[in-house]
């Protein structure tokens, strides 16, 4: 059996996971590993402007590829990335965080070297990562036995990442990187290695489910983010095709089911949902939850209404039917079994089944003002319509523009609450961060999604306040040939925070930037174009330009009033204000 370096062993395993790009920032403790990244066939180093941005980019990449890798240096680098890794943990995104650390002997001696806390302790930062990862390992060259264990440690950690769909952490000392170990003698994940649900347990779950479905005339599937993370996109499509059932999604699971298919009722946000989504979820005789965690931000501040006695709830490795629990039932097995039950159930077609996609759009996004027109088609303004661009016009134009198979990213805040109601095109994807909600996330994430799926145009809508946190990654995008469309909502500050509290407070103000100057300032050159839109017609022209330039980064500064907000945000802001209890 041939020998390879530990670094090459890790890279080979990452290639098995379809990881072709590694994100991060160089530091002297990871440079030896980065040498091997540069020499690794089919893999590309993506140098970000800082480690937090690299973690965000890896998160976006993993949502399209199924896994991602982040590389930082010890202490200062890894701690800069920990917020991004925490977001991946909260949102169940599989990312391996690789930290280049001082040599084994240096750490064992407790040397007071740079990037440490000068106390001789080398596991401070690993313990911090333990809180936001599901497994971690510090590789060692202290003895031949320690080194021989490195491949098994790498494999164990990566398998934990895949099983739990959450981040993991590997400390890679400088002297371990080049040490030689046997090359892998088999695949990381062998066919059939994932244990199926114990047959008797699965049968009991399905028998109980069949009793709940018996006599049900209306069935609705409500999907969340775990359905996407655990590979249930295609199986859910098969389930929904097996019988005339309704489908809705939490905003966290938007895009996991086909929004153009018959029966799609929209995004469910508790009492703030549009009528079709609320009726489909709350009035169903049987509600099937698939990876749908009912968090405050996706349920309208816990305003959802599920009757436990009529609910089948599927989680990655457990399920319930009514109040009966079935720990150990795998989501994949449960979805497959329920598909068979529904195929045999003979459900009647519910009223309104098969109406056009987009039934869940907000009422204010009406067809007037060019809603759904072809991208670039001029907007005809009525006499009563204001010349200035409004939220209603913005989201109507975005819906009209989204190309088939595109990746639509919506930044947390104003952008997310408007974007979650925009119907996706055929085979579209949606990326947001409603549960962790770290502002600035989606700009680097768009770098990750565009590199992960270059055949899909990434379209990002982000607020001006959020953009200012991570704007420098515009330079990274053009450096690596990424060509997303970025719509910057310039509404003079943190409109989402103003809606919740401090409408006129100075802490919700931001500096006034020249947003159209940013691509050039960050080195975009002829690989980027930037325009400003203050009216519906100008926005239509800008999006038409974006459609004509698929090989360029296109930044559109959309100027809106600071007080104009999507209807959903306005409604939810009151709920969040009451929840925070700041008083008058």
């Amino acid at each position: 059996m041939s020998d390879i370096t530990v670094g090459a062993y890790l890279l080979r395993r990452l290639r098995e996971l379809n990881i072709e790009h590694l994100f991060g920032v160089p530091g002297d403790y990871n440079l030896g590993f980065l040498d091997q990244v540069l020499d690794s066939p089919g893999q590309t180093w993506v140098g970000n402007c800082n480690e937090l941005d690299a973690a965000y980019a890896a998160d976006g990449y993993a949502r399209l590829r199924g896994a991602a890798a982040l590389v930082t240096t010890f202490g200062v680098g890894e701690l800069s990335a920990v917020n991004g890794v925490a977001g991946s943990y909260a949102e169940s995104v599989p990312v391996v965080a690789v930290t280049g650390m001082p040599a084994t002997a240096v750490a064992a001696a407790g040397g007071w070297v740079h990037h440490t806390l000068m106390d001789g302790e080398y596991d401070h930062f690993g313990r911090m990562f333990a809180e936001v990862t599901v497994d971690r390992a510090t590789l060692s060259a202290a003895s031949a036995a320690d080194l021989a264990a490195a491949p098994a440690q790498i494999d164990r950690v990566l398998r934990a990442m895949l099983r739990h769909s959450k981040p993991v952490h590997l400390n890679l000392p400088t002297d371990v990187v080049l040490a030689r170990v046997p090359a892998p003698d088999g695949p990381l994940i062998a066919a059939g290695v994932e244990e199926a649900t114990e047959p008797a347990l699965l049968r009991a779950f399905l028998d109980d489910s069949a009793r709940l479905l018996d006599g049900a005339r209306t069935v609705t599937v409500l999907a969340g983010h775990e359905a996407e993370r655990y590979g249930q996109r295609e199986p859910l499509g098969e389930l929904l095709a097996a019988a005339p059932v309704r489908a809705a999604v939490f905003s966290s699971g938007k895009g996991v089911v086909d929004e153009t298919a018959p029966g799609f009722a929209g995004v469910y946000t508790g009492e703030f949902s549009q009528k079709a989504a609320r009726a489909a979820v709350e009035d169903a005789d049987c509600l099937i939850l698939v990876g749908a965690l009912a968090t405050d931000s996706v349920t309208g501040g816990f305003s959802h209404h599920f009757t436990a006695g009529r609910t089948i709830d599927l989680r990655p490795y457990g399920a319930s039917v009514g109040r009966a629990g079935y720990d150990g039932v795998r989501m994949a097995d449960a979805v497959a079994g329920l598909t068979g039950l529904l195929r045999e159930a003979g459900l009647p077609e519910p009223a309104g089944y098969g109406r056009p996609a987009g039934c869940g759009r907000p009422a204010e996004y009406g067809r007037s003002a060019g809603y759904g027109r072809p991208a670039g088609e001029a907007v005809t303004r009525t006499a009563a319509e204001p010349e200035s661009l409004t939220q209603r016009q913005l989201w109507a134009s975005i819906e009209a523009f989204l190309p088939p198979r595109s990746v639509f990213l919506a930044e947390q805040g104003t952008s997310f609450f408007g974007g979650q109601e925009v119907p996706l095109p055929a085979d579209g994807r949606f990326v947001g961060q409603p549960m962790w909600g770290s502002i600035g996330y989606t700009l680097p994430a768009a770098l990750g999604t565009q590199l992960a799926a270059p055949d899909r145009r990434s379209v990002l809508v982000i607020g001006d306040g959020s953009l200012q946190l991570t704007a420098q990654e515009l330079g990274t995008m053009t450096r690596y040939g990424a060509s997303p469309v970025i719509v910057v909502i310039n509404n003079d500050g943190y409109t989402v925070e103003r809606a919740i509290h401090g409408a006129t407070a100075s802490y919700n103000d931001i500096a006034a930037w020249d947003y159209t100057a940013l691509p050039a300032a960050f080195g975009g050159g002829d690989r980027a174009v930037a325009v400003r839109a203050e009216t519906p017609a100008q926005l239509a022209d800008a999006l038409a330009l974006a459609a004509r330039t698929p090989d360029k980064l296109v930044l559109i500064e959309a100027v809106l009033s600071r007080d104009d907000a999507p209807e959903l945000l306005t409604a939810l802001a009151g709920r969040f204000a009451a929840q925070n209890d700041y008083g008058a």
Side-chain angles (χ1 to χ4, degrees):
M1 182 184 299
S2 62
D3 285 351
I4 59 174
T5 66
V6 172
Y9 185 100
L10 173 57
L11 289 167
R12 185 173 298 187
R13 287 309 201 196
L14 297 182
R15 280 201 302 274
E16 285 186 54
L17 301 180
N18 201 26
I19 297 174
E20 297 179 323
H21 299 80
L22 288 83
F23 301 89
V25 177
D28 62 335
Y29 296 133
N30 66 24
L31 298 180
F33 180 59
L34 297 190
D35 284 338
Q36 299 196 37
V37 174
L38 297 184
D39 291 337
S40 179
Q43 289 178 310
T44 300
W45 168 248
V46 180
N48 294 91
C49 298
N50 60 61
E51 292 87 356
L52 175 60
D53 290 356
Y56 289 157
D59 183 291
Y61 189 92
R63 293 184 190 223
L64 274 290
R65 284 291 181 100
L70 162 71
V71 184
T72 65
T73 197
F74 191 70
V76 293
E78 60 186 331
L79 292 189
S80 291
V82 74
N83 174 46
V85 175
S88 296
Y89 186 94
E91 305 244 341
S92 298
V93 180
V95 174
V96 53
V98 180
T99 297
M101 69 174 292
T104 303
V106 174
W112 294 354
V113 301
H114 59 285
H115 299 339
T116 72
L117 297 182
M118 304 303 155
D119 62 358
E121 170 62 62
Y122 278 73
D123 200 34
H124 286 300
F125 315 127
R127 293 197 300 270
M128 294 178 189
F129 266 86
E131 296 294 326
V132 293
T133 58
V134 293
D135 201 0
R136 66 185 183 106
T138 297
L139 307 185
S140 173
S143 69
D146 287 337
L147 187 58
Q153 289 178 295
I154 291 171
D155 289 356
R156 185 201 78 228
V157 167
L158 294 180
R159 287 171 182 147
M161 175 185 72
L162 297 176
R163 174 175 173 77
H164 299 286
S165 190
K166 287 185 183 290
V168 292
H169 183 218
L170 275 174
N171 273 322
L172 191 57
T174 56
D175 58 329
V176 173
V177 174
L178 297 177
R180 302 194 74 82
V181 294
D185 60 358
L188 178 65
I189 304 296
V193 72
E194 181 78 32
E195 290 187 10
T197 304
E198 197 275 322
L201 178 64
L202 181 60
R203 186 70 264 159
F205 162 75
L206 291 176
D207 287 345
D208 207 358
S209 298
R211 284 190 288 271
L212 187 59
L213 288 167
D214 185 31
R217 295 183 58 81
T218 56
V219 176
T220 295
V221 171
L222 176 59
H225 70 289
E226 287 182 340
E228 174 77 61
R229 307 293 192 268
Y230 284 83
Q232 295 307 294
R233 174 184 297 277
E234 291 185 8
L236 269 179
E238 295 173 5
L239 184 151
L240 295 172
V245 300
R246 291 262 188 236
V249 293
F250 279 143
S251 60
S252 59
K254 183 176 173 64
V256 72
V257 299
D258 182 1
E259 298 190 6
T260 67
F264 182 70
V267 177
Y268 178 73
T269 317
E271 66 185 38
F272 301 100
S273 309
Q274 293 300 305
K275 182 178 179 180
R278 189 169 184 181
V281 170
E282 298 180 3
D283 297 341
D285 293 335
C286 178
L287 178 66
I288 302 174
L289 302 173
V290 184
L293 274 66
T295 69
D296 67 337
S297 55
V298 304
T299 61
F302 301 117
S303 65
H304 57 296
H305 299 284
F306 305 156
T307 301
R310 60 176 177 84
T311 300
I312 300 172
D313 191 358
L314 311 184
R315 298 295 306 281
Y317 299 103
S320 63
V321 181
R323 292 179 174 82
Y326 294 90
D327 290 342
V329 172
R330 292 173 65 245
M331 182 186 293
D333 296 328
V335 170
L338 289 172
T339 299
L341 291 180
L342 288 169
R343 189 174 288 120
E344 300 170 359
L347 290 173
E349 187 171 293
Y353 184 85
R355 68 184 177 280
C359 57
R361 66 172 60 91
E364 80 271 24
Y365 300 160
R367 283 275 172 190
S368 60
Y371 199 98
R373 67 187 180 280
E377 181 178 319
V379 177
T380 302
R381 192 174 61 249
T382 66
E385 187 178 313
E387 291 190 9
S388 59
L389 186 62
T390 65
Q391 288 281 341
R392 178 178 61 82
Q393 284 281 0
L394 171 70
W395 298 111
S397 297
I398 294 296
E399 182 194 352
F401 169 75
L402 288 176
R405 304 187 71 249
S406 57
V407 181
F408 179 33
L409 301 95
E411 175 70 18
Q412 196 59 31
T414 306
S415 303
F416 188 84
F417 292 111
Q420 75 171 57
E421 297 290 349
V422 173
L424 293 178
D427 196 23
R429 298 289 188 271
F430 182 78
V431 174
Q433 204 187 47
M435 291 169 290
W436 186 240
S438 187
I439 65 171
Y441 156 78
T442 52
L443 183 68
L447 166 65
T449 60
Q450 194 68 79
L451 292 178
D455 58 328
R456 297 175 181 268
R457 192 84 182 268
S458 288
V459 180
L460 164 64
V461 182
I462 185 170
D464 48 1
S466 293
L467 179 83
Q468 291 193 8
L469 272 74
T470 53
Q472 63 268 56
E473 295 303 327
L474 292 168
T476 313
M477 289 176 171
T478 55
R479 176 185 176 193
Y480 289 96
S483 55
V485 178
I486 301 170
V487 179
V488 182
I489 298 178
N490 180 355
N491 54 5
D492 193 26
Y494 298 117
T495 292
V496 62
E497 309 296 0
R498 288 189 174 114
I500 296 171
H501 185 77
T504 60
S506 59
Y507 51 68
N508 285 324
D509 296 339
I510 61 174
W513 285 13
D514 181 353
Y515 295 100
T516 58
L518 294 180
F522 288 118
D526 60 3
R527 295 163 293 181
V529 61
V531 294
R532 180 180 170 97
E534 299 184 40
T535 68
Q538 290 174 350
L539 178 60
D541 290 343
L543 291 170
L545 173 62
R548 295 194 304 270
T549 53
D551 58 339
K552 294 182 183 293
L553 181 153
V554 179
L555 184 146
I556 301 169
E557 178 186 1
V559 181
L560 288 93
S561 166
R562 65 186 293 175
D563 298 319
D564 188 13
E567 185 180 82
L568 180 59
L569 169 58
T570 302
L572 280 171
R575 177 61 61 96
F576 291 145
Q579 182 175 293
N580 293 337
D581 193 22
Y582 288 126

